[in-house]
Amino acid sequence: MKEIVKKWVTNLSRYETGKPIEEVARELGFESAEDVIKLASNENALGVSPMAVHAMKRAAREMNRYPDSSAFYLRKALAAKLKVEPGQLMIANGSNEIIEFIGHLFLDRDSEAVISERAFAIFRLITEMFEARPVVVPMHGFTHDLKAMLNAITPHTKVVFIANPNNPTGTMVSENDLHDFMKYVPTHVVVAMDEAYIELLPPISQPDTLRYVREGRKIIILRTFSKTYGLAGLRIGYAVAPAEAIELMSRVRQPFNVNDMALKAALAAIEDNAFVEKTRKMVAKGLRYFEKNLKKLGIEYVPSVANFMLVKVGNGRSIFQQLQNEKVIVRPMDGYNLPDYIRITVGRGPENKRCLEALKRVLSITA
């Protein structure tokens, strides 16, 4: 196959996914996976929105039917919630699929995409998949440097990718900084704003990026049901963008790209305000716990606004492997050129405590 494949394919990087608990248990020879905790993939430790579970149970008997490819009811409900038009929304197989649509529309071997260093890895992978040139801009204090990203734009730039809050750093740029950035973005550039973790923030702390969609600016906002609503296993996300951009992305979208179970679950989940608030409280409490105790132990970390935290541990890959032997799964960060760090997802209280105790053991901290 390698003799006839497109040559650039063999040079593509691969995204390191978090392994399922069961697979880690098998690899390490544990008798059971029941007491293994996974704090690696920024999943919702509370599980699935109860309203979504109820909707899935009702929908299970209808899985012999194809889904509504237009996602009419979900788009209508989201439009009302976000105060945009249904025609300004596209439902996708996770927000990652939207990133791929952006590649289809705007990127080729003659174009560039501006990407912040240590931003979500998929931005660069998709850019390279379409043979475009990734222009990587250093971060400032683990945060997107929007001024530097503006300066990196050239006549060949087609897309600027911004993740806010950013994975894996957990940092975000302010609404004022975003506003200043949007004022000066050239008209030949599309801003792809990934807001996968935005609902984890209190509403007062969420930047109003939807205003740019209503103004008809060249922006595509990406959101997901994976994190706050706990639907990661269903793979469903969406884009909010001017109607023209939605229509263009529809041309490269496969029919039935989102399954019916996911559509029904998401439609119910967006009404589950109690679950969202419970999730926010869990995350805030978990972040405070890690901050307090890591500081007490003298372990460096990057302050986070999302449901995960970068923690400096020395040899991140080695500590990741040692923690797995302690039945705690985290994520090594050498793939982001952060070999001294691991990323820990905020879990429930007992999970956070177990993680910290295991970390103290592998780091030989006796405090």
Side-chain angles (χ1 to χ4, degrees):
M1 291 291 184
K2 287 185 177 179
E3 295 175 0
I4 60 175
V5 74
K6 297 175 181 178
K7 298 304 176 187
W8 57 268
V9 172
T10 59
N11 296 322
L12 286 177
S13 303
R14 298 180 66 183
Y15 182 74
E16 181 179 3
T17 59
K19 293 180 180 178
I21 292 173
E22 293 78 11
E23 184 176 346
V24 172
R26 284 196 303 270
E27 288 180 354
L28 297 178
F30 299 148
E31 290 186 6
S32 169
E34 288 183 5
D35 58 345
V36 178
I37 60 172
K38 183 185 179 188
L39 302 176
S41 299
N42 306 341
E43 296 151 336
N44 191 327
L46 293 179
V48 183
S49 152
M51 291 177 66
V53 171
H54 183 65
M56 285 188 281
K57 288 179 177 178
R58 289 202 317 269
R61 295 182 180 180
E62 302 172 3
M63 289 302 105
N64 60 313
R65 305 294 183 189
Y66 282 101
D68 173 11
S69 189
S70 71
F72 175 84
Y73 294 107
L74 181 55
R75 287 190 301 113
K76 182 180 178 182
L78 277 171
K81 185 180 182 70
L82 303 176
K83 296 181 174 56
V84 297
E85 298 297 323
Q88 295 172 322
L89 287 157
M90 168 178 279
I91 311 302
N93 193 298
S95 56
N96 276 17
E97 189 178 36
I98 301 292
I99 303 173
E100 185 173 346
F101 293 161
I102 290 168
H104 278 295
L105 261 57
F106 304 109
L107 299 176
D108 57 32
R109 63 180 60 184
D110 297 321
S111 62
E112 298 173 348
V114 174
I115 303 165
S116 185
E117 176 192 31
R118 295 161 185 159
F120 186 37
I122 300 299
F123 299 156
R124 180 163 188 160
L125 295 182
I126 291 294
T127 299
E128 292 175 344
M129 189 172 81
F130 288 92
E131 300 185 84
R133 176 174 172 255
V135 178
V136 181
V137 178
M139 283 190 158
H140 178 71
F142 290 95
T143 306
H144 285 66
D145 188 336
L146 295 184
K147 290 182 179 178
M149 294 178 78
L150 270 178
N151 292 333
I153 293 173
T154 74
H156 297 286
T157 304
K158 293 293 184 67
V159 182
V160 175
F161 287 104
I162 299 172
N164 202 46
N166 179 57
N167 174 27
T169 62
T171 57
M172 69 178 295
V173 293
S174 69
E175 184 166 4
N176 286 339
D177 287 344
L178 282 174
H179 183 62
D180 290 342
F181 172 82
M182 291 298 296
K183 278 196 300 188
Y184 297 106
V185 174
T187 57
H188 69 278
V189 173
V190 172
V191 176
M193 186 76 66
D194 189 337
E195 296 185 335
Y197 299 90
I198 199 71
E199 295 97 342
L200 292 174
L201 303 173
I204 195 171
S205 301
Q206 298 177 17
D208 180 17
T209 51
L210 295 175
R211 60 184 288 190
Y212 304 116
V213 174
R214 300 185 193 103
E215 292 170 2
R217 302 288 293 276
K218 291 186 175 71
I219 188 170
I220 299 173
I221 296 171
L222 297 76
R223 294 188 177 180
T224 182
F225 289 92
S226 295
K227 309 301 181 184
T228 304
Y229 297 103
L231 302 184
L234 287 179
R235 309 308 304 127
I236 181 164
Y238 61 97
V240 193
E244 182 183 18
I246 298 297
E247 194 278 329
L248 289 168
M249 286 192 289
S250 297
R251 294 171 181 261
V252 297
R253 179 183 70 88
Q254 291 296 312
F256 310 120
N257 62 319
V258 180
N259 70 78
D260 193 57
M261 187 73 78
L263 290 172
K264 299 288 175 53
L267 183 60
I270 60 173
E271 301 298 330
D272 201 343
N273 297 322
F275 182 74
V276 171
E277 187 56 33
K278 187 177 180 181
T279 297
R280 287 176 184 151
K281 288 180 179 178
M282 176 200 69
V283 170
K285 184 177 181 180
L287 288 175
R288 288 194 301 268
Y289 174 82
F290 277 115
E291 288 172 356
K292 176 184 175 181
N293 287 282
L294 291 171
K295 192 176 296 183
K296 189 184 299 182
L297 296 171
I299 300 174
E300 292 184 43
Y301 63 90
V302 178
S304 173
V305 300
N307 67 335
F308 55 87
M309 182 178 285
L310 274 183
V311 180
K312 191 172 185 179
V313 293
N315 186 330
R317 179 65 61 170
S318 174
I319 297 302
F320 152 74
Q321 292 168 342
Q322 292 178 62
L323 284 173
Q324 284 196 152
N325 289 325
E326 297 277 343
K327 299 186 177 181
V328 177
I329 311 171
V330 296
R331 183 70 68 87
M333 287 286 103
D334 44 351
Y336 282 91
N337 197 27
L338 290 166
D340 294 342
Y341 288 82
I342 57 174
R343 190 190 67 199
I344 301 174
T345 301
V346 172
R348 294 173 179 261
E351 294 173 324
N352 298 334
K353 185 176 181 180
R354 269 191 62 190
C355 177
L356 192 71
E357 292 299 320
L359 187 60
K360 285 166 61 177
R361 285 194 294 273
V362 301
L363 293 177
S364 301
I365 296 175
T366 56

